[in-house]
Amino acid sequence: MRVPLSWLREYVDLPATETGRDVQAKLISAGLEVETVEQLGHDLKGPLVVGQVLTIEELEGFKKPIRFCTVDVGQANGSGEPQEIVCGARNFAVGDKVVVVLPGAVLPGNFAIAARKTYGKTSHGMICSGDELGMGDDGSHGIIVLPQETEVGKDAIELLELVDEVLDIAVTANRGDCLSIRGVARETAIAYGLPLRDPALLDVPGPNAFGYPVQVSDPVGCDRFTARTVTGLSPEARSPLWLQRRLQKVGMRPISLAVDVTNYVMMEVGQPLHAYDRTLVQGTIGVRRAAEGEKLVTLDGVERTLHTEDLVITDERGPIGLAGVMGGANTEIADHAESEGTTDVVIEAAHFDAVSIARTARRHKLSSEASKRFERGVDPQASSAAAQRTVDLLMLLAGGTAEAGVTEVIAPSAPHTIAVPADHPDKVAGVVYGRETVVRRLQEIGCDVYGQDELIVTVPSWRPDLGEGNDLAEEVIRLEGYENLPSTLPKPPSGRGLTHRQRLHRRVGRALAGAGYVEAPNYPFVGEQVFDQLGLDADDPARRVVRLTNPLNDEEPALRTSLLPGLLAALRRNDGRGSHDLALFETGLVFLPREEQGVAGQLPVDRRPTAEEIAAIDAVLPEQPRHVAVVLAGAREQAGWWGKGRPADWADAVEAARTVAAETGAELIVRKGQYGPWHPGRCAELAVVTDGTERVVGHAGELHPRVLKALGLPARTSAMELDLDVLEQAGDDTPRAPGISTFPVATQDVALVVDAYVPHADVEAALREGAGELLEAIRLFDVYENAEQLGDGRKSLAYALRFRAGDRTLTVDEASAARDAAVALAGERTGAVLRG
């Protein structure tokens, strides 16, 4: 909500010395989020005056139309002579009043004005548009043309109210009353302790039988409907400058007088209104739910198929407006600047159900200023005053006549009352305010308060967000100042801290960060088309997703079953922005639907749920295991004076898996695999043994070229994903100190020739088992392939074996015997032979 300080001062007598920054500080202290204070015209310097166009000469021979004008600016130029100005705009004529900036002035953006020669003429200044003055769009997209009665030579800075301060307030969903100058003025008056001049306090005639006929068929959706009629509006009447400027300052574009007036009153009072061309409305105005298949062309020119839950405004033909959202094109107000403009209007000021309007706006993807207010809560008691204010302005500005008929259809309702102990705010805040302070603060926001120890509070009509005692306590606390609440650090019971699972997740994150990965959390939403891009089989369990009833993005309506889509999207996004050497990781939940779908019960709010109630909720929720994943692309080691560097590859993804497994204490089984997005020849299947059963927990390796192309990823991108929960079950992360022997190590190297398809992991496992307890470590240090020396389809694997005994120095024979036993078992299991 944009609030001009000059408009705010009309309703609150702020001290003349108060600036927008001062008001911002006061409102923030009162609980409103004032994001910025915009200084309009702070960099504008005159002379900026009103001029009248005397002559226009069309200059020929240029690529675009150019006009050489003489303009009467009175005595503003010091000589009284006409000012010669070159201008390219076409929307003004001889005799028009325009805004002229003279040499020596400075326009917004530090644009200095001086006499200069252009198009063969000397231009002494400029004829200005609204954009050049920082006013925003006035609908003309050209030069500002002022009313003929404007005085020549008058200061245009004052005339156009170019210098002002505008507070930009981020209004929360529960404070619909602050989506108006009236609501913000009330908060300002409370903050300063000043009286409020309420713009809704007007003398309003009572309803009678002569008003425009209205039939409300759905009193739940529309509990109040006021209709007023104004006739005889001047077709030539246009919105005055002060009204246009106020609309521009709050972020709205002037359109036509009748529409501008309804928008002005909406911003002033907070009540959305709509004006219908009376000659286009046929018969009684009705309010009902839409029928199946009904259609309506709204003011934006879009034909909309209505839903049976949509609340619509109708006449004898059918829908003429989407209630609380947008009017229909078939009763649109014509532009008063045209001779055939609307002269008779019916003004609608109604109160609609917030939930119904919110659902309609979202259903049709049609958010408007009106729907924004209705779905947050509008003062139902303000509709009559808003209609009267609209009538008064139309009569004043367009010479219309208000018909005596007044229509008000009102569904019976009682004011909302809340019983609350007088010391309830004290207990909530931990501060003793006392009854007098509580009553005073509640009365300041408009509540009627009765009682002593037990207060009976009647909530004002403009605060539908106040529903219970805690809401009232919050009002007292915020007005007394959140900054005045004492700060008390909580004292948790000893022995409580992070759980074992939380500590593990932190260790995994630190380990990956230490290995050079950057954490990149992502939203847990995916579109199901990503599974095709990842190359998953049609029956892959990862394709079974939990779909959201109300997704934030229609293109991502499901919850993820893998972390890879989000991480790969982050890698693609960063690569596209010039960061090509990437190593990203994420730990997070994935969501797997249960075989049997259930409906969660509603938990109680008056007590703590029992363990059984919580378990019943958990039983119907999706399974949510925690995964960890990494993605890599570009260089893994940078080149420099220290060496050539190297690119990231599949082995780095496998090593990341080993890093994670080491933190969990699980023994990771790495073997050749093939799954989904990974390259068949460069994919490792990762498994662990838990409860005596081997379980596959993930995969790692280089992604398939088809996947890279489908997702727009860099060449040779690698990835890894693991089920962290299963790793935790399989591991024992109890810290163990390494054994340190004082005896020397015996090293033996062996080179084994095997078939090219034999995995290194199988050979290493056989060597490790065959070597027995004396083997301390084994490392593959060379892979060699040469068809001439080894034969076709053969490769050589060279291993360094380290032997050590804890109680003696090994002899050469002992080390050699252990090596020979290892080679023998490798030969038996994998067909390996010593390389001669």
Side-chain angles (χ1 to χ4, degrees):
M1 176 67 190
R2 291 171 57 85
V3 181
L5 189 60
S6 58
W7 198 350
L8 191 63
R9 288 182 182 274
E10 283 198 8
Y11 309 119
V12 183
D13 288 327
L14 294 172
T17 56
E18 288 294 285
T19 66
R21 298 289 186 191
D22 298 328
V23 177
Q24 177 188 32
K26 286 282 191 179
L27 292 179
I28 289 176
S29 179
L32 291 185
E33 186 179 351
V34 184
E35 294 186 326
T36 60
V37 178
E38 185 178 351
Q39 307 287 335
L40 299 182
H42 72 283
D43 54 353
L44 176 65
K45 177 185 175 183
L48 189 71
V49 299
V50 176
Q52 184 170 25
V53 181
L54 301 178
T55 65
I56 297 177
E57 177 188 349
E58 301 287 346
L59 302 182
E60 304 293 340
F62 299 101
K63 292 183 179 179
K64 62 179 182 178
I66 298 297
R67 311 166 96 186
F68 180 66
C69 312
T70 59
V71 185
D72 178 15
V73 295
Q75 296 299 318
N77 58 4
S79 65
E81 296 295 323
Q83 201 80 1
E84 296 180 339
I85 298 175
V86 175
C87 184
R90 313 290 297 174
N91 68 312
F92 65 96
V94 172
D96 282 347
K97 302 286 181 68
V98 295
V99 177
V100 179
V101 57
L102 301 178
V106 179
L107 294 184
N110 199 28
F111 181 43
I113 303 299
R116 66 189 184 97
K117 190 168 184 178
T118 179
Y119 297 105
K121 301 284 186 178
T122 300
S123 182
H124 299 272
M126 286 175 52
I127 301 175
C128 296
S129 68
D131 286 337
E132 290 165 338
L133 298 178
M135 295 170 54
D137 182 18
D138 62 356
S140 67
H141 303 290
I143 294 302
I144 301 170
V145 178
L146 301 171
Q148 280 299 314
E149 62 270 17
T150 311
E151 177 186 349
V152 171
K154 184 178 177 64
D155 183 3
I157 295 178
E158 180 182 353
L159 175 69
L160 298 175
E161 302 176 14
L162 296 178
V163 179
D164 202 350
E165 295 181 274
V166 179
L167 285 71
D168 194 349
I169 303 175
V171 180
T172 55
N174 66 319
R175 290 304 303 273
D177 60 306
C178 287
L179 287 174
S180 66
I181 304 297
R182 178 196 184 201
V184 176
R186 181 180 293 108
E187 291 295 319
T188 305
I190 295 172
Y192 278 91
L194 297 171
L196 169 71
R197 288 188 292 275
D198 191 341
L201 292 180
L202 300 176
D203 291 330
V204 179
N208 54 52
F210 309 107
Y212 198 94
V214 173
Q215 177 64 45
V216 177
S217 302
D218 191 334
V220 174
C222 175
D223 57 8
R224 183 179 293 261
F225 195 107
T226 301
R228 300 289 297 275
T229 304
V230 181
T231 60
L233 300 177
S234 171
E236 292 79 21
R238 56 184 293 184
S239 301
L241 286 175
W242 64 265
L243 193 149
Q244 293 186 45
R245 288 295 295 132
R246 287 193 168 178
L247 288 178
Q248 288 174 327
K249 289 177 184 179
V250 299
M252 302 191 76
R253 182 172 64 86
I255 298 174
S256 64
L257 178 58
V259 175
D260 292 349
V261 167
T262 58
N263 285 337
Y264 177 85
V265 175
M266 175 180 66
M267 303 307 297
E268 180 182 59
V269 180
Q271 168 67 52
L273 302 108
H274 191 72
Y276 302 93
D277 188 328
R278 182 176 181 177
T279 61
L280 300 178
V281 179
Q282 298 180 11
T284 300
I285 291 178
V287 183
R288 60 169 172 82
R289 301 286 173 173
E292 187 70 39
E294 278 190 310
K295 297 182 183 296
L296 171 68
V297 179
T298 46
L299 288 174
D300 56 359
V302 177
E303 183 180 71
R304 303 182 185 277
T305 300
L306 303 179
H307 190 274
T308 53
E309 292 185 7
D310 291 336
L311 202 62
V312 291
I313 311 298
T314 64
D315 65 3
E316 291 181 351
R317 297 165 295 177
I320 60 174
L322 204 53
V325 181
M326 185 174 287
N330 51 358
T331 56
E332 182 178 6
I333 295 290
D335 192 347
H336 284 196
E338 304 173 7
S339 58
E340 66 273 13
T342 301
T343 59
D344 301 342
V345 298
V346 177
I347 300 163
E348 166 209 309
H351 184 261
F352 301 110
D353 175 60
V355 174
S356 176
I357 300 305
R359 288 176 176 172
T360 295
R362 284 159 178 73
R363 189 178 297 119
H364 294 280
K365 296 180 175 61
L366 184 61
S367 179
S368 64
E369 291 292 337
S371 67
K372 186 190 303 182
R373 284 161 175 78
F374 277 124
E375 63 191 42
R376 285 165 173 78
V378 169
D379 182 3
Q381 303 292 335
S383 57
S384 299
Q388 182 63 45
R389 178 74 164 137
T390 305
V391 169
D392 293 342
L393 286 173
L394 288 176
M395 293 169 60
L396 174 67
L397 303 176
T401 302
E403 289 193 352
V406 177
T407 302
E408 280 196 9
V409 180
I410 303 174
S413 63
H416 180 52
T417 61
I418 302 172
V420 60
D423 62 349
H424 182 64
D426 302 5
K427 294 178 179 178
V428 172
V431 176
V432 179
Y433 294 122
R435 179 187 178 282
E436 290 186 3
T437 299
V438 171
V439 171
R440 175 171 56 85
R441 288 304 189 183
L442 293 178
Q443 288 175 337
E444 284 178 345
I445 65 173
C447 295
D448 290 330
V449 185
Y450 302 95
Q452 291 298 318
D453 295 337
E454 185 80 8
L455 301 181
I456 305 300
V457 182
T458 301
V459 174
S461 58
W462 56 82
R463 292 299 303 273
D465 59 304
L466 303 180
E468 58 164 339
N470 286 332
D471 298 327
L472 300 179
E474 182 182 2
E475 293 300 298
V476 174
I477 296 168
R478 75 175 181 87
L479 294 178
E480 284 295 304
Y482 290 120
E483 67 277 11
N484 296 323
L485 292 176
S487 298
T488 304
L489 291 175
K491 297 179 181 179
S494 61
R496 293 188 183 180
L498 297 178
T499 65
H500 176 271
R501 189 167 187 250
Q502 290 170 329
R503 290 195 297 271
L504 172 63
H505 296 162
R506 291 194 178 188
R507 288 204 313 273
V508 168
R510 285 195 294 266
L512 289 175
Y517 291 85
V518 176
E519 188 169 14
N522 294 282
Y523 289 117
F525 311 118
V526 295
E528 295 180 65
Q529 72 281 355
V530 75
F531 300 128
D532 296 327
Q533 296 170 328
L534 290 175
L536 299 185
D537 294 336
D539 58 349
D540 194 296
R543 285 183 176 270
R544 293 186 62 244
V545 296
V546 177
R547 292 179 180 81
L548 300 172
T549 302
N550 187 22
L552 296 179
N553 183 350
D554 289 341
E555 295 182 359
E556 296 179 334
L559 292 173
R560 66 189 179 191
T561 56
S562 166
L563 301 183
L564 289 183
L567 270 180
L568 292 174
L571 186 140
R572 178 180 64 245
R573 185 164 54 250
N574 282 275
D575 180 72
R577 294 174 180 174
S579 299
H580 304 302
D581 303 324
L582 296 162
L584 309 178
F585 85 93
E586 179 181 8
T587 61
L589 302 179
V590 298
F591 305 86
L592 310 177
R594 298 183 185 272
E595 293 295 335
E596 295 184 5
Q597 300 294 323
V599 178
Q602 194 167 11
L603 291 177
V605 296
D606 58 343
R607 58 175 173 81
R608 178 181 176 85
T610 64
E612 292 75 15
E613 289 171 331
I614 295 175
I617 294 290
D618 289 339
V620 298
L621 292 177
E623 294 182 18
Q624 300 175 51
R626 182 171 289 270
H627 282 201
V628 57
V630 305
V631 293
L632 306 98
R636 185 64 175 139
E637 295 177 4
Q638 295 290 339
W641 58 265
W642 53 84
K644 296 181 180 180
R646 68 174 182 85
D649 61 15
W650 62 269
D652 294 301
V654 174
E655 185 59 30
R658 289 195 171 102
T659 299
V660 173
E663 289 299 322
T664 65
E667 184 176 344
L668 192 66
I669 301 170
V670 181
R671 56 178 175 241
K672 182 179 179 180
Q674 181 173 344
Y675 175 69
W678 281 277
H679 193 296
R682 298 167 189 160
C683 172
E685 183 179 80
L686 310 172
V688 294
V689 176
T690 174
D691 296 331
T693 304
E694 185 178 288
R695 292 180 60 180
V696 175
V697 291
H699 295 81
E702 183 180 312
L703 298 182
H704 199 288
R706 284 198 301 269
V707 174
L708 301 182
K709 182 178 180 181
L711 293 174
L713 298 171
R716 311 304 290 269
T717 296
S718 299
M720 177 277 291
E721 183 167 13
L722 286 170
D723 188 326
L724 194 52
D725 286 353
V726 177
L727 275 177
E728 181 184 4
Q729 297 170 17
D732 179 5
D733 58 356
T734 303
R736 291 182 175 85
I740 299 176
S741 174
T742 59
F743 297 97
V745 66
T747 303
Q748 298 273 358
D749 293 345
V750 294
L752 303 177
V753 178
V754 296
D755 290 333
Y757 63 82
V758 175
H760 139 69
D762 292 351
V763 178
E764 180 181 312
L767 288 173
R768 188 180 298 276
E769 182 180 342
E773 295 180 354
L774 295 178
L775 182 67
E776 181 180 80
I778 182 172
R779 178 175 63 88
L780 174 69
F781 66 86
D782 184 51
V783 178
Y784 177 70
E785 295 183 9
N786 187 310
E788 294 182 2
Q789 297 185 20
L790 304 177
D792 291 336
R794 304 280 282 175
K795 65 182 178 182
S796 171
L797 303 176
Y799 294 90
L801 308 179
R802 291 170 58 91
F803 298 98
R804 194 193 313 255
D807 56 351
R808 69 189 186 281
T809 300
L810 291 178
T811 64
V812 173
D813 291 341
E814 286 178 312
S816 297
R819 180 203 62 190
D820 293 343
V823 171
L825 187 60
E828 179 183 335
R829 291 188 178 176
T830 66
V833 297
L834 278 171
R835 183 177 168 189

